[in-house]
Amino acid sequence: MELNGLLLFSKLGTPSELRGPVERRQQLEVLARETRDFFVVRDKQGRVEYANPAAREHFHLDERGEGPFLMPLLTPAELADLNEPVSARCSQPGQGGEMRHYDTTVLPYWTVDGRRNGTLLLAHDVSHETEQSLALKSVSARLADLL
């Protein structure tokens, strides 16, 4: 999955090119703040520890990333005890009632001493691409019927 935020990160430089922890943290904060992709960190109990502004806005979370419920935002994998990344296409109604489609990846993360610490959700809205693909299939089917 190719996320806009990951493309932006490549413009910032690789971690070895970053000058130090303070600069690295500032650049990662800019990345998380400016991307329109969703970035959500959960602790091992499933509570949201951090959600970037795009995720907070979309899922109606407060500044701390907390919402009125402890449930998956897009995929049940967010609350799973993962050992490896899980990628999936998810759909849910948008704010206007239209169906929205997302490419998601849920990654487990661990502490430096190897204990599981929670999950990281990355999600990219692919609704426009999905709608174009469905429209193309529809046109292709009509053309096949005409022929």
Side-chain angles (χ1 to χ4, degrees):
M1 178 171 66
E2 202 169 288
L3 296 175
N4 291 340
L6 294 177
L7 294 174
L8 175 61
F9 183 74
S10 67
K11 293 179 184 175
L12 295 175
T14 63
S16 63
E17 294 170 331
L18 299 176
R19 290 197 171 85
V22 173
E23 185 176 351
R24 181 179 309 125
R25 181 182 174 108
Q26 289 172 339
Q27 290 174 330
L28 292 173
E29 286 172 358
V30 169
L31 169 67
R33 184 177 62 243
E34 297 301 323
T35 185
R36 295 306 304 158
D37 293 328
F38 306 142
F39 179 90
V40 178
V41 178
R42 290 183 182 263
D43 66 16
K44 60 185 171 186
Q45 286 78 36
R47 293 181 301 252
V48 174
E49 286 186 338
Y50 172 80
N52 71 334
R56 286 197 312 263
E57 178 185 332
H58 183 78
F59 298 114
H60 307 290
L61 303 171
D62 66 20
E63 283 297 315
R64 293 181 313 236
E66 295 177 0
F69 46 80
L70 178 62
M71 58 188 283
L73 299 171
L74 287 174
T75 174
E78 296 170 49
L79 301 176
D81 187 8
L82 302 175
N83 290 318
E84 58 187 51
V86 174
S87 295
R89 170 89 32 117
C90 302
S91 300
Q92 68 177 211
Q95 294 175 348
E98 75 287 353
M99 192 57 76
R100 306 299 300 176
H101 307 279
Y102 305 92
D103 276 342
T104 65
T105 299
V106 180
L107 306 148
Y109 73 95
W110 295 269
T111 60
V112 290
D113 62 354
R115 289 180 291 134
R116 187 181 161 282
N117 206 29
T119 59
L120 169 67
L121 167 69
L122 300 170
H124 178 67
D125 189 335
V126 294
S127 300
H128 181 72
E129 294 88 346
T130 302
E131 290 168 11
Q132 285 182 330
S133 177
L134 292 173
L136 183 58
K137 286 178 185 176
S138 175
V139 169
S140 293
R142 282 189 299 199
L143 182 59
D145 287 345
L146 288 173
L147 293 175

